[in-house]
Amino acid sequence: MINSDFPMLQDSSNDGQGDTVSLSMSVSELDDSGEGKGKKKRGRPGKQGAASKKARRSPVDKGGRRANGVAHHNGEGTDPSTLFEVVKQGKSAMQSVIDDWIESYKQDRDLALLDLINFFIQCSGCKGTVRIEMFRNMQNAEIIRKMTEEFDEDSGDYPLTMAGPQWKKFRYNFCEFIMVLIRQCQYSIIYDEYMMDTVISLLTGLSDSQVRAFRHTSTLAAMKLMTALVNVALNLSINQDNTQRQYEAERNKVAGKRANEKLELLLEKRKELQENQDEIENMMNSIFKGIFVHRYRDAIAEIRAICIEEIGVWMKLYSDAFLNDSYLKYVGWTLHDRQGEVRLKCLKALQTLYTNRELYPKLELFTNRFKDRIVSMTLDKEYDVAVEAIRLVTLILHGSEDALSNEDCENVYHLVYSAHRPVAVAAGEFLHRKLFSRHDPQAEEALAKRRGRNSPNGNLIRMLVLFFLESELHEHGAYLVDSLWDSSQDLLKDWDCMVELLLEDPVQGEEVLGDRHEGALIELMVCTIRQAAEAHPPVGRGTGKRVLTAKEKKTQIDDKNRLTEHLIVALPMLLSKYQADAEKVANLLQIPQYFDLEVYSSGRMEKHLDALLKQIRVVVEKHAEMEVLEACSKTYSILCSEEYTIMNRVDIARSQLIDELMDRFAHSVEDLLQEGDEADDDDIYNVLSTLKKLTAFHNAHDLTKWDLFKNCYRLLKMGIEQGSMPEQIAVQALQCSHYSILWQLVKITEGCPSKDDLVALRRVVKSFLAVCQQCLSNVNTPVKEQAFMLLCDLLMIFSHQLVSGGREALQPLVFNPDSTLQNELLNFVLDHVFIDQDDENQSMEGDEEDEANKIEALHKRRNLLAAFSKLIIYDIVDMPAAADIFKQYMKYYNDYGDIIKETLSKTRQMDKIQCAKTLILSLQQLFNELIQDQGPNLDRTSSHVSGIKELARRFALTFGLDQIKTREAVATLHKDGIEFAFKVPNPKGPEYPPPNLAFLEVLCEFSSKLLRQDKKTVHSYLEKFMTEYMMERREDVWLPLIAYRNSLLTGGDDDRLSVTTGTSSTSKTSTVRSKRGRPPQHKRRPEEESVEGSWVMRNDTLQTPGGLHTPQLTSTVLRENPRQAADHIPDQVKFVRINSLAMRLMEDDAEPIFEDVMMSSRGQLEDMNEEFEDTMVIDLVRIYRCPELCFRSSLVHLRGLMEDDAEPIFEDVMMSSRGQLEDMNEEFEDTMVIDLPASRNRRERAELRPDFFDSTAIMEDDSGFGMQMF
């Protein structure tokens, strides 16, 4: 039986008959005979065999040092070469260190054990040392309490938590030390009922400490000790089995050959092994029940993770003893842990078990009980946990097909489309295991040969296509391919089989691919080709293209050559078969961009190139869909690259196609212009289809020599003059003209343009801008939107930035929009962007929109707003135009909040003062609109007024905390606001308030952003507009003026008069500040009352009594009522502690001392900047009013190594909602850093944390599975 206290030590002496002090258990001398041979004589109480031996010299007699330089502690100093230092430095081989310690143990086990005890104490970061007197005379709890007092309170770090390679290595060496110690002592010393009892007793006591460092270090040591004992137990079990077999073999011999002496030796050996096994099991039970069952639910996640990681090791090493439900239940329960680190350890521990197919029967009950939880963890918010959960589910599937239901599998299937690649790849492995790994390759190959197929993967590819169609995520084929790429690469690269399925007719026994199946197969084939050729994940997965290794580069080249070699021949045939299907053709035309185009010439495959060009021409002739035409244009562009020898051949084919299209376009335009209003549908179709093809080609090819702009301009002019041009023709003509202008600009910028070239281009741009401006009033919305986007783009391109970078010669091409054009652009935005959904539905002539159409419409409106915002940001449109945009911020926050916020940020960077003027102008516009709607007598409690004030508050938050930086801008804003409030006098007379006086209430929101001296200046400016009569009025109509004056005089919203009652409504905080903040000797004028006058900034009000010394606070906190402890603290001590805390609060980098607060509402979060200056005052007032409570709070906070950062374990994790954090950018600029209060999930700091893991209350929980341990 292992006691909770240390076994009391015998005082070593030469004759071996030392006195015993409070002996708690019998101690025997060690007998090391036969130790090197693996056979030992057990040291038992009462045996005197070793007592008669000649005593060896103690290490003390050898100069105080051992062979390895490890010193003992005799109470007279500490040698720097301790066990801790040796392990920390890691320069000595661990086995030699342990061998030296064992040698010292044999000579004097008391001092050797003292070294080992101090090793654990020092590894915990404790500066104290256990002396020999303490060891003899003090109980376990007393020694640990004494060591607790030796901790350094200034730092919460200890070796296991310190960063850096040295301490990472120390953790490894620490674990290795324990493992090697048990391995080297496993034949004799661990059975002496002394060393292991002492160590386990020490670790049990330390693991129950409230000091985190003790608990963490001792738990790690105990768990590694347990792992080492499991290895010993496993070896004993193996030796027992071997001994039993030898005994059975010897006993089964005939009587003449049987050796009775050998049988007796084997029986004695078996008995000895059984006794050893019993002792080891006793030790392991002590560690498990005394430490593990408490620490696996410790408040610290790292400690819980250590326990779960090690129990997984025990189950794997010694499955016969540990792999049962009595131990598995701890892992199952911890799957619900709130920390991802612990959940991750659970999953990895289970993976090692499920990997071994032989262990699966023992896991069957556990699988049934916790399968649902494991499957749900595939959706864990921690991606690492989700990945490991998917891998565990895959192992469960591998172990038993029936373990997972169809619903369980479907929960994993859809994760192949996850944007997080490791999750998707793990789900791809699961999908591969479920769908593709059950087939017999040899049977599939034989079946393929019978059917005349070259590849045996036909059925697997059909199955993949079916899965893709059933998932109904056809735009994410690239994600599916990428997920399966690592696990099913051979299948995905079987392009021969894919082409075979597409081109050849099905043989007997094969199902016919339907139209949807063929389209899906083509899409997947294109995705696999892209993945092989580019060798990186699709867009949206990963952080970008990574550098390929030499092996990956070689694989990429080989794959590209192989797909080129095969598909160069097959692609023309595929295009020929599917030339009428726009979607299939558009996908197939993406393939040439992944070819190695040199193969056409090096492989003498020009005939296949001609066949490809012929098919592309046929596709262009047959289709008018922009997706198909753009694919054809891109393919021509790739094939015409100058680096390939096939360029000339492709260029000729392209020129012939363009010539034919241009002739057709010219004739159809002439016919349309001549017939005018009498043009029929055929004429319109001819123009539109040809114009679409030319526009698509003009996007990627320079067609300026065909002068497309001329005919397009004629079409646009006719449409403007006659008003009868079809909208599709107008849209395509605008786009084609735009491309023509851009190609002309490219030519000019790349060469040395003449003056005539610049004049000609300027004339073209000017005429086109005029046409676009006229199109803004077109009745067709698509035409107006196209004209608006092109206007914004061209104004950006031909702005003042065109001449930057040494291109001053292009100055004639610079266009600046006049006020008329700016107003038209702004009105377009207001009419087409800031509209309600109902208005949009009506504008679409009653068409019923589904969700996808709504999203598309919103995306289009966001593009329109972004295009106009760029003009403001780059100073092309005057900044005051942004006022109409800013005022929509609150109303349309969900749709355009990010765009408006970014525009505001960029405009402030351009010109802070002009930006402030624009902000106040937007508020004035809203106020004027409200006056027009409700009249001069506003209801200040209405939602409309509150909305304006809320918008002003949001604007104020964007100025940030750096008042020096925004000083002039904020002052200008107040000046404009004051002028606006008083500029219109009341027609009834001067005794009546001005109509705009209520605007001052809105202006109050910006008062907190003024410096103290600027508040005086602004107040003086306000007084210029005020009469003596105004200053004396207190009626409700004058309350906005009262509130604004008060905000300027007192320096905070908390001190101003109530805007509803006209009486003082200072908050509780402000009252305390006013009472305690001013010296009683004299009164200050209101103008001088500010933060500087508050008692926070004064040191003379909190003076420490000279004769009183601040007591030293230690981390020695026992399990007693903290309130009772605080009651014994003298009031003077409390006052001193309050003073120290007050000084700490005034430090810039001080952390919050009191309870953490969860900012649950957006309003609380947004007000952080406004209330920042009051935070210290509020906290200090709380200290002053409740010294006992705050002293206890400080006591808890200052014990740096205690449970300062512990969090509840099984509490659900609540992710912060978007609404709480969406305004963070709005509040803070990049020049400031604000530490948000932490979650309220942490326990209250007002009282000491109770110890939930009392070692006397060992958990005997049989509710899980009712199984016995061992």
Side-chain angles (χ1 to χ4, degrees):
M1 181 66 182
I2 297 178
N3 293 348
S4 60
D5 293 321
F6 296 133
M8 291 304 170
L9 307 181
Q10 285 184 308
D11 193 9
S12 300
S13 62
N14 292 334
D15 58 3
Q17 301 294 329
D19 297 333
T20 316
V21 183
S22 300
L23 185 62
S24 60
M25 65 166 54
S26 298
V27 179
S28 66
E29 296 290 329
L30 270 177
D31 184 4
D32 60 334
S33 61
E35 181 176 347
K37 301 179 182 178
K39 189 175 179 181
K40 57 90 188 175
K41 293 183 179 178
R42 300 166 52 80
R44 292 293 182 187
K47 288 189 178 182
Q48 302 295 330
S52 60
K53 292 185 178 181
K54 182 179 179 181
R56 295 175 182 173
R57 293 184 61 195
S58 170
V60 181
D61 301 330
K62 299 180 181 180
R65 297 187 70 85
R66 297 187 178 87
N68 65 343
V70 180
H72 68 279
H73 301 283
N74 57 5
E76 301 181 1
T78 302
D79 194 284
S81 184
T82 61
L83 273 176
F84 170 72
E85 291 295 333
V86 171
V87 173
K88 174 184 171 184
Q89 294 172 4
K91 295 180 179 179
S92 303
M94 199 60 64
Q95 185 163 338
S96 64
V97 174
I98 297 300
D99 290 342
D100 291 340
W101 182 87
I102 292 174
E103 183 66 25
S104 68
Y105 183 84
K106 293 174 182 177
Q107 295 177 17
D108 192 326
R109 62 184 182 180
D110 296 349
L111 293 178
L113 270 179
L114 194 60
D115 269 344
L116 191 59
I117 291 170
N118 279 307
F119 167 72
F120 289 119
I121 296 294
Q122 292 170 2
C123 287
S124 301
C126 180
K127 304 299 182 184
T129 302
V130 180
R131 307 292 179 181
I132 192 68
E133 296 81 7
M134 297 167 56
F135 204 6
R136 291 173 180 168
N137 303 321
M138 296 176 67
Q139 298 294 319
N140 180 4
E142 294 174 333
I143 292 177
I144 294 176
R145 187 183 303 118
K146 182 67 176 177
M147 292 299 100
T148 301
E149 298 175 3
E150 301 294 333
F151 270 104
D152 181 10
E153 293 177 351
D154 296 335
S155 172
D157 292 333
Y158 51 96
L160 291 185
T161 61
M162 290 182 181
Q166 177 188 8
W167 297 110
K168 185 177 180 180
K169 183 180 179 181
F170 167 79
R171 182 188 178 101
Y172 173 81
N173 291 339
F174 177 75
C175 298
E176 185 187 12
F177 176 87
I178 297 171
M179 300 291 288
V180 175
L181 174 65
I182 300 302
R183 188 177 70 229
Q184 295 299 102
C185 297
Q186 65 177 313
Y187 298 112
S188 62
I189 295 180
I190 62 173
Y191 305 110
D192 68 357
E193 297 182 351
Y194 184 71
M195 189 268 281
M196 290 302 297
D197 291 357
T198 305
V199 172
I200 294 175
S201 178
L202 169 71
L203 296 179
T204 303
L206 291 175
S207 69
D208 196 43
S209 171
Q210 289 189 356
V211 180
R212 172 177 173 170
F214 275 156
R215 213 167 61 251
H216 187 182
T217 308
S218 61
T219 301
L220 177 61
M223 294 302 101
K224 293 297 180 182
L225 183 66
M226 180 80 164
T227 302
L229 290 175
V230 168
N231 281 310
V232 174
L234 182 60
N235 292 334
L236 288 173
S237 177
I238 295 172
N239 290 335
Q240 277 185 289
D241 293 341
N242 293 337
T243 304
Q244 182 65 26
R245 283 196 301 270
Q246 292 175 9
Y247 176 79
E248 294 292 341
E250 189 67 25
R251 192 181 64 177
N252 291 334
K253 291 180 180 180
V254 295
K257 296 183 179 181
R258 184 185 307 159
N260 292 329
E261 293 182 0
K262 185 175 182 181
L263 284 175
E264 292 178 2
L265 290 174
L266 289 173
L267 282 174
E268 183 181 352
K269 181 178 180 182
R270 187 177 65 176
K271 181 180 179 181
E272 182 181 351
L273 289 173
Q274 184 60 46
E275 291 175 352
N276 292 347
Q277 182 82 1
D278 294 341
E279 287 200 30
I280 294 296
E281 289 184 0
N282 182 40
M283 297 174 195
M284 291 192 295
N285 269 301
S286 300
I287 296 174
F288 189 84
K289 292 183 178 182
I291 299 177
F292 178 88
V293 295
H294 304 306
R295 300 282 71 82
Y296 93 96
R297 54 192 177 99
D298 194 278
I300 304 300
E302 295 176 64
I303 297 177
R304 304 199 299 273
I306 290 170
C307 294
I308 296 302
E309 182 178 16
E310 292 304 314
I311 196 175
V313 175
W314 309 337
M315 293 175 182
K316 179 183 178 182
L317 290 177
Y318 200 178
S319 59
D320 292 339
F322 287 95
L323 190 55
N324 56 62
D325 301 325
S326 296
Y327 298 98
L328 281 169
K329 64 183 180 183
Y330 295 106
V331 181
W333 291 339
T334 317
L335 288 171
H336 297 270
D337 196 279
R338 66 186 299 268
Q339 292 294 330
E341 173 189 0
V342 184
R343 299 195 299 274
L344 188 65
K345 294 294 184 183
C346 290
L347 294 171
K348 288 188 174 180
L350 292 173
Q351 285 177 17
T352 60
L353 302 178
Y354 279 96
T355 302
N356 189 345
R357 296 289 297 273
E358 297 178 357
L359 301 180
Y360 195 86
K362 296 183 179 182
L363 294 165
E364 186 175 355
L365 181 59
F366 177 85
T367 304
N368 295 333
R369 171 65 179 83
F370 292 102
K371 179 199 65 175
D372 293 340
R373 172 56 184 165
I374 295 172
V375 172
S376 69
M377 291 176 73
T378 60
L379 299 175
D380 199 279
K381 66 175 184 178
E382 303 283 347
Y383 286 128
D384 292 342
V385 177
V387 170
E388 299 303 329
I390 296 170
R391 290 175 179 169
L392 179 57
V393 172
T394 306
L395 290 173
I396 294 175
L397 175 69
H398 185 63
S400 173
E401 292 286 343
D402 301 329
L404 300 176
S405 64
N406 291 333
E407 184 180 357
D408 295 333
C409 295
E410 289 172 0
N411 289 335
V412 183
Y413 286 161
H414 73 275
L415 293 176
V416 297
Y417 298 103
S418 171
H420 190 261
R421 190 170 192 271
V423 171
V425 170
E429 293 174 358
F430 177 85
L431 180 63
H432 173 80
R433 174 81 64 178
K434 180 68 175 177
L435 297 184
F436 307 140
S437 63
R438 295 180 296 172
H439 296 269
D440 185 357
Q442 296 180 353
E444 292 287 345
E445 187 173 355
L447 179 62
K449 289 182 178 180
R450 288 198 303 269
R451 293 177 175 177
R453 300 299 189 191
N454 296 324
S455 173
N457 291 328
N459 289 334
L460 299 180
I461 291 176
R462 289 172 182 269
M463 194 177 300
L464 177 62
V465 170
L466 185 62
F467 172 82
F468 181 49
L469 289 175
E470 289 181 351
S471 63
E472 297 180 355
L473 291 171
H474 306 313
E475 296 181 359
H476 297 79
Y479 276 22
L480 174 60
V481 168
D482 182 54
S483 302
L484 292 168
W485 195 252
D486 294 343
S487 55
S488 309
Q489 197 167 125
D490 293 337
L491 174 66
L492 297 177
K493 290 182 180 179
D494 195 350
W495 298 298
D496 295 352
C497 183
M498 297 179 187
V499 172
E500 196 174 58
L501 289 174
L502 290 170
L503 290 180
E504 297 185 10
D505 296 331
V507 297
Q508 185 178 4
E510 285 186 339
E511 296 181 5
V512 180
L513 284 177
D515 182 67
R516 291 179 65 243
H517 293 78
E518 289 178 337
L521 178 54
I522 290 174
E523 182 177 352
L524 291 175
M525 182 176 68
V526 173
C527 292
T528 60
I529 291 170
R530 186 211 65 79
Q531 185 93 1
E534 296 184 352
H536 65 79
V539 176
R541 278 193 181 166
T543 57
K545 296 182 179 180
R546 62 182 181 86
V547 179
L548 301 179
T549 62
K551 182 179 179 181
E552 291 172 335
K553 189 69 176 175
K554 182 179 184 302
T555 303
Q556 179 191 22
I557 295 173
D558 294 342
D559 290 341
K560 197 168 185 178
N561 291 334
R562 192 163 65 85
L563 71 89
T564 301
E565 197 172 313
H566 180 74
L567 290 170
I568 272 182
V569 179
L571 183 57
M573 293 185 286
L574 291 171
L575 288 173
S576 177
K577 181 176 180 179
Y578 298 107
Q579 59 183 315
D581 192 315
E583 183 180 358
K584 295 184 179 67
V585 167
N587 278 323
L588 290 172
L589 286 172
Q590 297 179 36
I591 295 177
Q593 63 183 302
Y594 305 114
F595 283 170
D596 180 8
L597 297 178
E598 289 291 349
V599 174
Y600 276 116
S601 55
S602 62
R604 299 185 178 277
M605 293 187 175
E606 288 85 357
K607 63 177 182 178
H608 298 295
L609 175 61
D610 294 337
L612 175 62
L613 295 174
K614 179 181 178 181
Q615 291 301 324
I616 294 176
R617 180 161 184 164
V618 172
V619 170
V620 173
E621 293 289 341
K622 285 190 174 184
H623 292 276
E625 295 85 356
M626 288 304 298
E627 183 183 8
V628 177
L629 296 175
E630 288 175 355
C632 293
S633 175
K634 185 176 181 179
T635 303
Y636 270 114
S637 177
I638 294 169
L639 296 175
C640 285
S641 179
E642 295 182 357
E643 57 183 303
Y644 302 116
T645 56
I646 61 173
M647 190 228 4
N648 293 332
R649 186 187 294 264
V650 180
D651 185 53
I652 293 173
R654 180 189 60 178
S655 299
Q656 291 175 352
L657 177 60
I658 299 299
D659 286 337
E660 184 178 336
L661 292 175
M662 280 301 303
D663 291 342
R664 192 184 309 165
F665 178 61
H667 287 97
S668 58
V669 168
E670 292 295 338
D671 294 342
L672 182 63
L673 295 177
Q674 290 177 5
E675 295 181 9
D677 295 339
E678 299 177 357
D680 56 14
D681 293 342
D682 290 340
D683 295 331
I684 295 174
Y685 176 78
N686 291 334
V687 173
L688 180 59
S689 62
T690 311
L691 184 56
K692 275 187 175 182
K693 296 169 185 177
L694 291 171
T695 302
F697 274 84
H698 211 349
N699 185 16
H701 304 268
D702 183 7
L703 306 182
T704 51
K705 64 179 181 179
W706 282 278
D707 194 13
L708 276 169
F709 181 81
K710 179 179 178 181
N711 285 327
C712 291
Y713 185 74
R714 291 171 63 193
L715 289 173
L716 293 171
K717 290 296 291 183
M718 186 194 79
I720 293 172
E721 294 170 357
Q722 299 181 4
S724 59
M725 181 63 63
E727 66 176 44
Q728 285 297 320
I729 292 181
V731 169
Q732 293 298 326
L734 286 169
Q735 189 67 60
C736 190
S737 302
H738 177 65
Y739 291 149
S740 179
I741 290 174
L742 295 183
W743 279 110
Q744 293 181 55
L745 179 62
V746 168
K747 277 190 171 183
I748 287 178
T749 54
E750 289 179 351
C752 298
S754 64
K755 186 176 181 181
D756 293 340
D757 294 336
L758 295 175
V759 171
L761 181 56
R762 178 177 177 81
R763 187 183 303 114
V764 169
V765 175
K766 185 176 181 180
S767 60
F768 184 67
L769 290 175
V771 168
C772 291
Q773 186 174 356
Q774 291 173 328
C775 288
L776 290 177
S777 58
N778 195 289
V779 294
N780 297 315
T781 300
V783 177
K784 290 189 287 188
E785 291 177 348
Q786 181 74 12
F788 176 83
M789 291 298 295
L790 295 180
L791 268 174
C792 293
D793 289 346
L794 288 175
L795 289 175
M796 277 291 301
I797 294 170
F798 292 95
S799 65
H800 53 83
Q801 300 185 59
L802 183 64
V803 298
S804 61
R807 294 178 296 187
E808 290 78 7
L810 302 179
Q811 182 64 39
L813 298 179
V814 175
F815 285 87
N816 294 314
D818 55 19
S819 58
T820 303
L821 179 56
Q822 292 186 30
N823 289 333
E824 289 189 30
L825 293 174
L826 177 59
N827 291 332
F828 179 88
V829 171
L830 298 178
D831 294 339
H832 293 81
V833 174
F834 298 106
I835 59 176
D836 295 329
Q837 193 68 34
D838 295 337
D839 297 338
E840 182 190 1
N841 291 340
Q842 293 176 4
S843 66
M844 299 189 68
E845 301 176 356
D847 288 344
E848 191 173 354
E849 291 186 333
D850 58 10
E851 193 65 26
N853 289 335
K854 290 180 181 179
I855 295 175
E856 183 64 28
L858 176 60
H859 180 66
K860 185 183 296 184
R861 295 196 302 273
R862 286 174 57 85
N863 285 340
L864 295 174
L865 178 60
F868 183 74
S869 298
K870 284 193 293 185
L871 298 181
I872 298 173
I873 292 172
Y874 287 95
D875 199 21
I876 298 168
V877 170
D878 296 336
M879 195 180 297
D884 290 281
I885 306 296
F886 294 159
K887 71 182 182 182
Q888 310 289 347
Y889 180 69
M890 291 295 296
K891 185 176 181 182
Y892 294 96
Y893 180 83
N894 290 334
D895 292 341
Y896 317 116
D898 54 338
I899 298 176
I900 298 176
K901 190 185 301 181
E902 184 67 15
T903 304
L904 175 57
S905 174
K906 295 296 184 182
T907 52
R908 178 174 284 119
Q909 294 177 17
M910 289 170 49
D911 191 333
K912 292 184 179 63
I913 296 178
Q914 189 61 41
C915 179
K917 286 178 171 288
T918 304
L919 290 179
I920 200 66
L921 176 61
S922 65
L923 296 172
Q924 293 170 4
Q925 290 177 358
L926 287 175
F927 187 84
N928 285 333
E929 293 172 3
L930 195 58
I931 291 290
Q932 293 175 3
D933 293 341
Q934 299 184 5
N937 299 322
L938 291 178
D939 180 9
R940 297 197 309 279
T941 62
S942 66
S943 60
H944 298 286
V945 176
S946 299
I948 299 177
K949 291 174 63 178
E950 176 65 17
L951 179 61
R953 190 175 68 84
R954 294 285 190 100
F955 286 164
L957 291 174
T958 62
F959 284 97
L961 294 178
D962 192 347
Q963 294 180 321
I964 300 296
K965 187 177 178 181
T966 60
R967 178 181 184 183
E968 190 174 356
V970 176
T972 302
L973 183 146
H974 280 272
K975 175 177 176 294
D976 289 358
I978 293 171
E979 292 174 354
F980 173 77
F982 289 97
K983 72 176 180 180
V984 180
N986 197 311
K988 296 181 181 180
E991 65 274 11
Y992 294 93
N996 295 341
L997 187 69
F999 187 76
L1000 292 178
E1001 194 169 349
V1002 177
L1003 205 57
C1004 288
E1005 302 293 341
F1006 297 93
S1007 297
S1008 62
K1009 300 303 176 183
L1010 284 168
L1011 291 175
R1012 178 170 171 269
Q1013 55 268 38
D1014 290 341
K1015 289 183 178 181
K1016 297 179 181 179
T1017 305
V1018 172
H1019 184 264
S1020 301
Y1021 188 75
L1022 175 65
E1023 289 181 333
K1024 293 181 182 179
F1025 294 86
M1026 295 172 56
T1027 62
E1028 225 173 285
Y1029 176 80
M1030 293 180 182
M1031 296 182 183
E1032 299 173 355
R1033 306 314 300 166
R1034 289 294 181 268
E1035 291 83 359
D1036 287 350
V1037 292
W1038 295 98
L1039 288 181
L1041 177 59
I1042 296 172
Y1044 184 55
R1045 286 190 65 203
N1046 198 39
S1047 69
L1048 295 176
L1049 292 175
T1050 59
D1053 295 339
D1054 293 335
D1055 299 320
R1056 63 172 182 257
L1057 293 179
S1058 171
V1059 296
T1060 57
T1061 64
T1063 61
S1064 178
S1065 65
T1066 52
S1067 66
K1068 187 175 181 180
T1069 300
S1070 301
T1071 303
V1072 176
R1073 290 177 63 188
S1074 63
K1075 288 180 182 179
R1076 306 192 186 278
R1078 303 188 185 96
Q1081 294 87 343
H1082 63 279
K1083 294 184 178 180
R1084 302 179 65 180
R1085 296 203 319 268
E1087 294 83 6
E1088 298 176 353
E1089 296 173 1
S1090 65
V1091 176
E1092 294 181 0
S1094 68
W1095 67 295
V1096 177
M1097 304 302 294
R1098 300 181 59 83
N1099 295 326
D1100 55 345
T1101 60
L1102 290 174
Q1103 296 296 329
T1104 304
L1108 182 64
H1109 298 286
T1110 304
Q1112 179 181 5
L1113 295 178
T1114 70
S1115 299
T1116 312
V1117 183
L1118 304 179
R1119 294 175 190 161
E1120 59 183 356
N1121 191 333
R1123 298 183 182 275
Q1124 295 177 0
D1127 290 339
H1128 298 293
I1129 301 172
D1131 292 339
Q1132 296 88 344
V1133 177
K1134 300 174 186 175
F1135 190 77
V1136 173
R1137 182 57 57 198
I1138 294 170
N1139 180 47
S1140 64
L1141 291 176
M1143 295 304 102
R1144 183 181 172 198
L1145 277 172
M1146 286 185 280
E1147 298 175 359
D1148 292 337
D1149 57 350
E1151 298 178 353
I1153 295 180
F1154 303 102
E1155 61 188 68
D1156 299 321
V1157 181
M1158 173 66 76
M1159 305 293 285
S1160 59
S1161 66
R1162 182 189 306 172
Q1164 289 173 309
L1165 190 58
E1166 294 169 341
D1167 286 333
M1168 285 190 63
N1169 288 349
E1170 297 177 9
E1171 300 299 328
F1172 183 78
E1173 57 265 19
D1174 295 334
T1175 304
M1176 293 191 295
V1177 177
I1178 295 171
D1179 286 341
L1180 286 173
V1181 169
R1182 291 172 60 192
I1183 299 173
Y1184 189 86
R1185 297 179 68 180
C1186 303
E1188 291 87 2
L1189 171 64
C1190 297
F1191 181 80
R1192 288 195 298 270
S1193 300
S1194 64
L1195 186 63
V1196 176
H1197 179 77
L1198 291 175
R1199 53 187 188 91
L1201 296 172
M1202 295 301 193
E1203 289 304 319
D1204 211 30
D1205 48 3
E1207 299 181 2
I1209 305 172
F1210 300 112
E1211 184 175 329
D1212 291 336
V1213 182
M1214 178 64 70
M1215 300 296 289
S1216 300
S1217 64
R1218 181 180 180 185
Q1220 291 173 311
L1221 302 176
E1222 59 189 359
D1223 294 325
M1224 290 288 291
N1225 291 341
E1226 183 179 318
E1227 296 181 48
F1228 313 129
E1229 291 191 356
D1230 53 359
T1231 56
M1232 68 191 78
V1233 175
I1234 290 185
D1235 292 328
L1236 291 177
S1239 167
R1240 198 179 178 87
N1241 287 338
R1242 297 191 178 183
R1243 303 189 184 278
E1244 299 290 343
R1245 312 293 180 139
E1247 59 186 80
L1248 297 180
R1249 194 176 320 280
D1251 186 7
F1252 298 101
F1253 313 111
D1254 192 345
S1255 61
T1256 61
I1258 296 178
M1259 184 179 69
E1260 297 289 349
D1261 193 334
D1262 294 331
S1263 59
F1265 304 100
M1267 302 291 290
Q1268 295 295 327
M1269 300 183 190
F1270 297 105

